Amino acid sequence: MTDELPDGLPELRASDADREQVSEVLRDALAEGRLDMEEFEERLEATYKARTYKELAPITRDLPAPGVTPPAPTVSMVKGPAAETGSWADRIVGSESCTSQWGVAIMSGFERKGRWTVPRKFNAFAFWGGGVIDLREANFANGEVIVNCVAIMGGMSVIVPPGVEVVVRGIGVMGGFDHREEGVQGDPGAPRVVVTGFAFWGGVGVERKVTKAERLRQKEERRLEKLERKAARQEELEESRRRALEGSGSGDLDHRDSLDEARSIHRAAMDQHRELMREKRRERRDDRRDRDRD
């Protein structure tokens, strides 16, 4: 679809497939940093509310088309493969010009998160306070980085993305270091994060999380799978009804067979309803879990 739509096309009704192609472009733009989370959510909501091509066209007008080198003024409605971005080789920058070398919290807190460069050794100190060291969107100065945490009557949380190898070497006295993420093999070319330090009446937690953008992508994938299952069940139900009507009209089925077929259709409809309710409950649980993670 282009900015100048052919006569009659602007008022043409858009299909679910058209809206999914636009939402795919928006998800790619979010992952590449072209849209922030607020813009992504606004445009995604507008996409699913759109009814015509005229309403869809402005949503991606300022975004590059999938597989096209920017700048690109328009987005094609033909879904194409998105270019791979954010590989581990790109994120290991081999430079000491880092965003931050340390973090301190004394009866307070600190956060290092978002797009920043982790030095070869990052030092963190917390006294009656806490800190969050989030590496999910970070670059790395070296293939192996050390996160040195000293927690005195306080706590720290080190968050790493999937694919990163984690080694924990910290010492705890009336406190401790979280070792649950150790032993998970890293992706080829991924950095190695060594968590070391000392905890006294405090603790250092290590957890592995995906980014919010990736969670949204996974949520969209689950939603599409749910729509596909719903369409398949609806098609099966319609086929059962069609067979029942054909059999009733042709006289091939006797009265008992017709009743059995009607009961089968009713059971299929009830099964579909129960499955939809289960999916809604799962979706609500997933939403609550995502909010808790944030």
Side-chain angles (χ1 to χ4, degrees):
M1 187 170 66
T2 60
D3 284 344
E4 296 183 3
L5 298 170
D7 292 341
L9 187 57
E11 301 305 326
L12 202 64
R13 302 284 288 188
S15 67
D16 287 340
D18 296 328
R19 285 183 281 271
E20 290 306 327
Q21 289 165 5
V22 172
S23 66
E24 182 70 19
V25 174
L26 295 178
R27 288 192 292 271
D28 291 340
L30 176 66
E32 293 167 0
R34 303 183 192 279
L35 296 176
D36 60 28
M37 189 59 61
E38 184 177 354
E39 291 174 316
F40 171 78
E41 291 175 349
E42 289 176 355
R43 296 195 189 197
L44 190 64
E45 182 179 1
T47 298
Y48 289 123
K49 287 182 178 178
R51 292 292 176 265
T52 65
Y53 283 132
K54 184 178 181 180
E55 294 173 325
L56 281 178
I59 296 174
T60 55
R61 185 169 291 151
D62 59 344
L63 298 175
V68 176
T69 302
T74 60
V75 170
S76 171
M77 288 301 297
V78 179
K79 181 179 175 182
E84 292 184 3
T85 59
S87 66
W88 291 121
D90 295 333
R91 294 178 64 176
I92 300 176
V93 297
S95 171
E96 288 296 347
S97 58
C98 301
T99 310
S100 179
Q101 300 276 349
W102 48 267
V104 177
I106 298 177
M107 292 184 287
S108 62
F110 74 86
E111 278 189 337
R112 296 293 181 271
K113 61 190 297 186
R115 295 189 180 276
W116 63 295
T117 301
V118 186
R120 292 174 183 267
K121 186 172 183 179
F122 180 85
N123 293 298
F125 175 77
F127 175 73
W128 277 17
V132 176
I133 305 163
D134 191 337
L135 311 182
R136 289 178 291 177
E137 299 179 23
N139 292 327
F140 299 83
N142 192 49
E144 178 175 300
V145 297
I146 297 174
V147 179
N148 183 51
C149 300
V150 178
I152 309 297
M153 291 182 287
M156 291 189 202
S157 177
V158 180
I159 304 174
V160 300
V164 169
E165 181 185 359
V166 177
V167 177
V168 180
R169 296 175 180 165
I171 299 172
V173 176
M174 291 183 287
F177 279 71
D178 190 350
H179 290 259
R180 288 176 297 176
E181 296 299 338
E182 276 194 305
V184 178
Q185 187 174 2
D187 292 342
R192 187 171 186 243
V193 177
V194 180
V195 180
T196 185
F198 177 73
F200 176 73
W201 278 16
V204 177
V206 182
E207 54 185 332
R208 199 179 301 269
K209 288 184 179 181
V210 299
T211 62
K212 189 172 183 179
E214 180 61 23
R215 285 205 307 274
L216 282 174
R217 183 186 293 273
Q218 293 173 357
K219 186 176 179 179
E220 280 295 300
E221 290 177 354
R222 291 195 298 268
R223 192 184 69 82
L224 290 177
E225 291 174 358
K226 182 178 72 174
L227 288 175
E228 291 174 357
R229 291 196 300 269
K230 181 179 177 181
R233 288 194 300 268
Q234 188 66 31
E235 186 176 347
E236 291 175 359
L237 188 59
E238 291 298 330
E239 178 65 20
S240 297
R241 289 173 177 167
R242 185 186 62 80
R243 288 198 304 267
L245 290 174
E246 289 178 352
S248 173
S250 63
D252 293 335
L253 296 176
D254 59 18
H255 181 66
R256 179 175 297 177
D257 290 339
S258 298
L259 287 176
D260 290 342
E261 187 70 20
R263 294 190 188 100
S264 177
I265 293 172
H266 176 71
R267 284 195 298 271
M270 294 302 297
D271 289 343
Q272 182 181 24
H273 174 71
R274 284 191 289 269
E275 179 62 23
L276 286 174
M277 297 302 296
R278 283 193 293 267
E279 288 176 352
K280 287 182 179 180
R281 287 194 293 271
R282 284 195 295 267
E283 190 171 327
R284 287 196 293 268
R285 285 197 300 269
D286 291 341
D287 288 341
R288 286 196 297 270
R289 185 173 62 247
D290 290 344
R291 287 194 296 269
D292 293 340
R293 287 176 177 174
D294 293 339

